[in-house]
Amino acid sequence: MMQELPLDQVYPLLEPGPVVLLTTAVKDRPNVMTLSWHSMLELDPPTLACVVNENNHSFAALNDTLECVIAIPALHMAEKAVQIGNTSGRDTDKFSAASLTARPAWQVGAPIITECFANLECRVNDTRLVGDYNLFVLEIVEAWTDPQQPNPQTFHHPGYGRLVLDGEDISFASNVR
Ligand SMILES: Cc1cc2nc3c(=O)[nH]c(=O)nc-3n(C[C@H](O)[C@H](O)[C@H](O)COP(=O)(O)O)c2cc1C
């Protein structure tokens, strides 16, 4: 027998990709927030959607500059990711509080984070769903990975204070990229 699931418990079933850090910069002042609501939309050019709550300091920065970096942390940064997601750049320098290194990116004004194993420089290319859903469509214009972190283990956020670690790879025959 199927049992009815309260709608507020659906999100953990569908939670999207790994927890990432989204950096922005306004007038050379960088900020970073934790983000788990994102999804790939297109492969070529690589395009993703992300939901940034309008109450976050990052929302105004992203909306105004239309640029950001998606920095992907491995497991060793999980505690910092939670700390960054529980504080606001409105009143804190989160890079210094979490001992993270912001370095200039190549294509965008937002910084990369050198401790992350990947950094994706993004430009907002569609804001039509920002008003209704806080949803920004981002095109990845330059991507970097850290060869010193060859097999990073990422982590996911199914909500309610839980993090879930990526596990083993399972390969299968597929025509899908
Ligand atoms: C694991 C985790 C995932 C989060 N995912 C999102 C998200 O997808 N979208 C969002 O708007 N906020 C998300 N947050 C909350 C923001 O990171 C948080 O509100 C942060 O303080 C915003 O910082 P800012 O005010 O400096 O922009 C998440 C927090 C955590 C801990």
Short mmCIF file of all heavy atoms in Angstrom, two decimals, residues 71-116:
data_model
loop_
_atom_site.label_atom_id
_atom_site.label_comp_id
_atom_site.label_asym_id
_atom_site.label_seq_id
_atom_site.Cartn_x
_atom_site.Cartn_y
_atom_site.Cartn_z
N ALA A 71 31.59 27.44 -6.95
CA ALA A 71 32.80 26.76 -6.47
C ALA A 71 32.34 25.47 -5.77
O ALA A 71 31.43 25.51 -4.93
CB ALA A 71 33.56 27.66 -5.50
N ILE A 72 32.96 24.35 -6.13
CA ILE A 72 32.46 23.06 -5.61
C ILE A 72 33.41 22.52 -4.55
O ILE A 72 34.59 22.24 -4.84
CB ILE A 72 32.27 22.04 -6.75
CG1 ILE A 72 31.51 22.70 -7.92
CG2 ILE A 72 31.52 20.81 -6.24
CD1 ILE A 72 31.26 21.79 -9.09
N PRO A 73 32.91 22.40 -3.32
CA PRO A 73 33.76 21.92 -2.23
C PRO A 73 33.71 20.39 -2.11
O PRO A 73 32.68 19.78 -2.38
CB PRO A 73 33.11 22.55 -0.99
CG PRO A 73 31.66 22.68 -1.34
CD PRO A 73 31.57 22.80 -2.84
N ALA A 74 34.83 19.80 -1.69
CA ALA A 74 34.85 18.37 -1.37
C ALA A 74 34.55 18.21 0.13
O ALA A 74 34.44 19.19 0.87
CB ALA A 74 36.20 17.78 -1.74
N LEU A 75 34.45 16.94 0.51
CA LEU A 75 34.02 16.61 1.87
C LEU A 75 34.78 17.35 2.98
O LEU A 75 34.18 17.77 3.97
CB LEU A 75 34.17 15.09 2.06
CG LEU A 75 33.82 14.54 3.42
CD1 LEU A 75 32.38 14.89 3.80
CD2 LEU A 75 34.01 13.02 3.43
N HIS A 76 36.07 17.57 2.78
CA HIS A 76 36.86 18.23 3.84
C HIS A 76 36.36 19.64 4.13
O HIS A 76 36.71 20.23 5.15
CB HIS A 76 38.36 18.24 3.49
CG HIS A 76 38.72 19.07 2.30
ND1 HIS A 76 39.14 20.37 2.39
CD2 HIS A 76 38.67 18.81 0.97
CE1 HIS A 76 39.36 20.86 1.17
NE2 HIS A 76 39.08 19.92 0.30
N MET A 77 35.50 20.19 3.24
CA MET A 77 34.99 21.55 3.45
C MET A 77 33.54 21.57 3.92
O MET A 77 32.92 22.64 3.99
CB MET A 77 35.11 22.35 2.15
CG MET A 77 36.55 22.58 1.72
SD MET A 77 36.63 23.44 0.15
CE MET A 77 35.98 25.05 0.60
N ALA A 78 33.00 20.41 4.28
CA ALA A 78 31.56 20.34 4.62
C ALA A 78 31.20 21.27 5.78
O ALA A 78 30.19 21.99 5.73
CB ALA A 78 31.17 18.90 4.94
N GLU A 79 32.03 21.26 6.81
CA GLU A 79 31.71 22.09 7.97
C GLU A 79 31.72 23.58 7.59
O GLU A 79 30.85 24.35 8.03
CB GLU A 79 32.74 21.82 9.06
CG GLU A 79 32.16 21.94 10.45
CD GLU A 79 33.18 21.52 11.50
OE1 GLU A 79 33.79 20.44 11.35
OE2 GLU A 79 33.36 22.30 12.46
N LYS A 80 32.67 23.96 6.76
CA LYS A 80 32.74 25.36 6.32
C LYS A 80 31.52 25.71 5.48
O LYS A 80 30.98 26.82 5.57
CB LYS A 80 34.01 25.61 5.52
CG LYS A 80 35.25 25.54 6.38
CD LYS A 80 36.50 25.94 5.64
CE LYS A 80 37.68 25.81 6.61
NZ LYS A 80 38.90 26.39 6.12
N ALA A 81 31.08 24.79 4.64
CA ALA A 81 29.92 25.05 3.79
C ALA A 81 28.68 25.31 4.66
O ALA A 81 27.88 26.21 4.37
CB ALA A 81 29.68 23.88 2.84
N VAL A 82 28.54 24.55 5.72
CA VAL A 82 27.40 24.75 6.62
C VAL A 82 27.52 26.09 7.33
O VAL A 82 26.55 26.86 7.42
CB VAL A 82 27.28 23.58 7.62
CG1 VAL A 82 26.23 23.87 8.67
CG2 VAL A 82 26.95 22.28 6.87
N GLN A 83 28.72 26.40 7.79
CA GLN A 83 28.97 27.69 8.46
C GLN A 83 28.63 28.86 7.51
O GLN A 83 27.94 29.82 7.90
CB GLN A 83 30.45 27.74 8.87
CG GLN A 83 30.90 29.02 9.52
CD GLN A 83 32.44 29.08 9.68
OE1 GLN A 83 33.15 28.08 9.48
NE2 GLN A 83 32.93 30.25 10.04
N ILE A 84 29.05 28.75 6.27
CA ILE A 84 28.79 29.82 5.28
C ILE A 84 27.30 29.94 4.99
O ILE A 84 26.78 31.02 4.73
CB ILE A 84 29.61 29.52 3.99
CG1 ILE A 84 31.08 29.76 4.26
CG2 ILE A 84 29.13 30.36 2.81
CD1 ILE A 84 32.00 29.14 3.22
N GLY A 85 26.61 28.80 5.05
CA GLY A 85 25.17 28.79 4.80
C GLY A 85 24.34 29.24 5.99
O GLY A 85 23.13 29.39 5.89
N ASN A 86 25.01 29.40 7.12
CA ASN A 86 24.28 29.83 8.32
C ASN A 86 24.62 31.24 8.74
O ASN A 86 24.23 31.69 9.82
CB ASN A 86 24.57 28.86 9.48
CG ASN A 86 23.81 27.57 9.30
OD1 ASN A 86 22.66 27.58 8.87
ND2 ASN A 86 24.43 26.45 9.60
N THR A 87 25.38 31.96 7.90
CA THR A 87 25.72 33.36 8.21
C THR A 87 25.50 34.20 6.96
O THR A 87 25.46 33.65 5.86
CB THR A 87 27.19 33.49 8.65
OG1 THR A 87 28.01 32.75 7.75
CG2 THR A 87 27.42 32.99 10.06
N SER A 88 25.37 35.49 7.14
CA SER A 88 25.14 36.35 5.99
C SER A 88 26.31 37.30 5.77
O SER A 88 26.88 37.85 6.73
CB SER A 88 23.87 37.18 6.16
OG SER A 88 23.74 38.04 5.02
N GLY A 89 26.62 37.52 4.49
CA GLY A 89 27.67 38.46 4.12
C GLY A 89 27.27 39.91 4.38
O GLY A 89 28.08 40.82 4.24
N ARG A 90 26.02 40.09 4.75
CA ARG A 90 25.56 41.44 5.08
C ARG A 90 26.37 42.00 6.24
O ARG A 90 26.70 43.17 6.28
CB ARG A 90 24.08 41.35 5.48
CG ARG A 90 23.29 42.59 5.26
CD ARG A 90 21.79 42.33 5.36
NE ARG A 90 21.22 41.82 4.14
CZ ARG A 90 20.67 40.62 3.98
NH1 ARG A 90 20.61 39.77 5.00
NH2 ARG A 90 20.18 40.24 2.83
N ASP A 91 26.70 41.12 7.22
CA ASP A 91 27.41 41.60 8.41
C ASP A 91 28.71 40.85 8.69
O ASP A 91 29.35 41.11 9.69
CB ASP A 91 26.49 41.52 9.64
CG ASP A 91 25.58 40.32 9.58
OD1 ASP A 91 26.10 39.24 9.29
OD2 ASP A 91 24.36 40.48 9.79
N THR A 92 29.10 39.93 7.83
CA THR A 92 30.31 39.14 8.10
C THR A 92 31.14 39.02 6.82
O THR A 92 30.57 38.86 5.74
CB THR A 92 29.94 37.67 8.48
OG1 THR A 92 28.86 37.71 9.39
CG2 THR A 92 31.10 36.92 9.05
N ASP A 93 32.47 39.04 6.97
CA ASP A 93 33.34 38.66 5.86
C ASP A 93 33.50 37.14 5.97
O ASP A 93 34.30 36.64 6.77
CB ASP A 93 34.69 39.37 5.99
CG ASP A 93 35.69 38.88 4.94
OD1 ASP A 93 35.37 37.92 4.20
OD2 ASP A 93 36.78 39.46 4.86
N LYS A 94 32.72 36.42 5.18
CA LYS A 94 32.69 34.97 5.34
C LYS A 94 33.97 34.30 4.85
O LYS A 94 34.29 33.20 5.29
CB LYS A 94 31.46 34.39 4.63
CG LYS A 94 30.17 34.74 5.35
CD LYS A 94 29.02 33.88 4.89
CE LYS A 94 28.13 34.65 3.95
NZ LYS A 94 26.96 33.84 3.52
N PHE A 95 34.68 34.92 3.93
CA PHE A 95 35.94 34.33 3.49
C PHE A 95 36.92 34.27 4.65
O PHE A 95 37.58 33.25 4.88
CB PHE A 95 36.54 35.13 2.32
CG PHE A 95 35.83 34.90 1.03
CD1 PHE A 95 34.83 35.76 0.62
CD2 PHE A 95 36.13 33.80 0.25
CE1 PHE A 95 34.16 35.55 -0.56
CE2 PHE A 95 35.46 33.57 -0.93
CZ PHE A 95 34.47 34.45 -1.33
N SER A 96 36.99 35.37 5.37
CA SER A 96 37.92 35.40 6.49
C SER A 96 37.40 34.52 7.64
O SER A 96 38.16 33.76 8.24
CB SER A 96 38.16 36.86 6.84
OG SER A 96 38.20 37.07 8.17
N ALA A 97 36.09 34.57 7.91
CA ALA A 97 35.53 33.77 9.01
C ALA A 97 35.74 32.28 8.78
O ALA A 97 35.97 31.52 9.72
CB ALA A 97 34.05 34.08 9.17
N ALA A 98 35.67 31.85 7.52
CA ALA A 98 35.81 30.41 7.23
C ALA A 98 37.22 30.07 6.74
O ALA A 98 37.46 28.94 6.31
CB ALA A 98 34.79 29.99 6.19
N SER A 99 38.14 31.04 6.82
CA SER A 99 39.52 30.84 6.33
C SER A 99 39.54 30.28 4.91
O SER A 99 40.17 29.26 4.62
CB SER A 99 40.31 29.90 7.24
OG SER A 99 40.30 30.37 8.54
N LEU A 100 38.84 30.96 4.02
CA LEU A 100 38.84 30.57 2.61
C LEU A 100 39.56 31.63 1.79
O LEU A 100 39.52 32.82 2.13
CB LEU A 100 37.41 30.43 2.09
CG LEU A 100 36.62 29.23 2.61
CD1 LEU A 100 35.23 29.23 1.99
CD2 LEU A 100 37.36 27.93 2.30
N THR A 101 40.17 31.20 0.70
CA THR A 101 40.96 32.11 -0.12
C THR A 101 40.20 32.50 -1.39
O THR A 101 39.90 31.64 -2.22
CB THR A 101 42.28 31.42 -0.53
OG1 THR A 101 42.81 30.77 0.63
CG2 THR A 101 43.28 32.42 -1.07
N ALA A 102 39.89 33.79 -1.49
CA ALA A 102 39.25 34.32 -2.70
C ALA A 102 40.35 34.84 -3.61
O ALA A 102 41.21 35.61 -3.19
CB ALA A 102 38.29 35.45 -2.33
N ARG A 103 40.31 34.40 -4.88
CA ARG A 103 41.28 34.88 -5.88
C ARG A 103 40.51 35.37 -7.10
O ARG A 103 39.44 34.83 -7.40
CB ARG A 103 42.21 33.75 -6.32
CG ARG A 103 43.21 33.35 -5.26
CD ARG A 103 44.47 34.23 -5.31
NE ARG A 103 45.43 33.84 -4.29
CZ ARG A 103 45.49 34.34 -3.06
NH1 ARG A 103 44.66 35.28 -2.69
NH2 ARG A 103 46.40 33.93 -2.20
N PRO A 104 41.04 36.36 -7.81
CA PRO A 104 40.30 36.87 -8.98
C PRO A 104 40.04 35.76 -9.99
O PRO A 104 40.90 34.90 -10.23
CB PRO A 104 41.25 37.92 -9.57
CG PRO A 104 42.20 38.27 -8.49
CD PRO A 104 42.30 37.07 -7.59
N ALA A 105 38.84 35.79 -10.55
CA ALA A 105 38.53 34.87 -11.66
C ALA A 105 39.04 35.50 -12.95
O ALA A 105 39.63 36.58 -12.92
CB ALA A 105 37.02 34.64 -11.71
N TRP A 106 38.82 34.81 -14.07
CA TRP A 106 39.35 35.31 -15.35
C TRP A 106 38.32 36.10 -16.13
O TRP A 106 38.62 37.12 -16.74
CB TRP A 106 39.89 34.13 -16.17
CG TRP A 106 41.25 33.71 -15.73
CD1 TRP A 106 42.43 33.97 -16.37
CD2 TRP A 106 41.59 33.00 -14.54
NE1 TRP A 106 43.48 33.45 -15.63
CE2 TRP A 106 43.00 32.86 -14.52
CE3 TRP A 106 40.86 32.46 -13.48
CZ2 TRP A 106 43.66 32.20 -13.50
CZ3 TRP A 106 41.52 31.81 -12.47
CH2 TRP A 106 42.91 31.69 -12.47
N GLN A 107 37.07 35.61 -16.11
CA GLN A 107 36.04 36.21 -16.97
C GLN A 107 35.02 37.05 -16.21
O GLN A 107 34.30 37.83 -16.82
CB GLN A 107 35.24 35.09 -17.66
CG GLN A 107 36.07 34.12 -18.44
CD GLN A 107 36.25 34.57 -19.88
OE1 GLN A 107 35.58 35.49 -20.33
NE2 GLN A 107 37.15 33.94 -20.57
N VAL A 108 34.92 36.83 -14.90
CA VAL A 108 33.85 37.51 -14.15
C VAL A 108 34.44 38.21 -12.93
O VAL A 108 35.56 37.90 -12.50
CB VAL A 108 32.75 36.49 -13.70
CG1 VAL A 108 32.11 35.81 -14.90
CG2 VAL A 108 33.28 35.46 -12.71
N GLY A 109 33.66 39.13 -12.35
CA GLY A 109 34.15 39.91 -11.21
C GLY A 109 34.10 39.15 -9.90
O GLY A 109 34.77 39.52 -8.94
N ALA A 110 33.30 38.09 -9.82
CA ALA A 110 33.23 37.28 -8.60
C ALA A 110 34.49 36.43 -8.48
O ALA A 110 35.07 36.04 -9.49
CB ALA A 110 32.00 36.38 -8.65
N PRO A 111 34.92 36.14 -7.24
CA PRO A 111 36.18 35.40 -7.08
C PRO A 111 36.01 33.88 -7.15
O PRO A 111 34.93 33.36 -6.87
CB PRO A 111 36.62 35.80 -5.67
CG PRO A 111 35.34 36.05 -4.93
CD PRO A 111 34.37 36.60 -5.95
N ILE A 112 37.10 33.20 -7.48
CA ILE A 112 37.14 31.74 -7.30
C ILE A 112 37.58 31.47 -5.85
O ILE A 112 38.08 32.36 -5.17
CB ILE A 112 38.08 31.04 -8.30
CG1 ILE A 112 39.54 31.43 -8.04
CG2 ILE A 112 37.69 31.35 -9.74
CD1 ILE A 112 40.53 30.47 -8.68
N ILE A 113 37.36 30.24 -5.41
CA ILE A 113 37.81 29.83 -4.06
C ILE A 113 38.85 28.74 -4.26
O ILE A 113 38.54 27.66 -4.79
CB ILE A 113 36.62 29.29 -3.23
CG1 ILE A 113 35.55 30.38 -3.09
CG2 ILE A 113 37.09 28.81 -1.86
CD1 ILE A 113 34.29 29.92 -2.36
N THR A 114 40.09 29.01 -3.86
CA THR A 114 41.17 28.09 -4.23
C THR A 114 41.07 26.75 -3.49
O THR A 114 41.61 25.75 -3.95
CB THR A 114 42.56 28.72 -3.97
OG1 THR A 114 42.67 29.04 -2.59
CG2 THR A 114 42.75 29.97 -4.78
N GLU A 115 40.38 26.70 -2.35
CA GLU A 115 40.26 25.44 -1.61
C GLU A 115 39.26 24.49 -2.27
O GLU A 115 39.21 23.30 -1.93
CB GLU A 115 39.81 25.70 -0.16
CG GLU A 115 40.88 26.34 0.72
CD GLU A 115 40.96 27.87 0.54
OE1 GLU A 115 40.18 28.44 -0.25
OE2 GLU A 115 41.84 28.48 1.19
N CYS A 116 38.43 24.99 -3.19
CA CYS A 116 37.43 24.13 -3.84
C CYS A 116 38.08 23.36 -4.99
O CYS A 116 39.01 23.86 -5.63
CB CYS A 116 36.27 24.98 -4.36
SG CYS A 116 35.22 25.57 -3.01
#
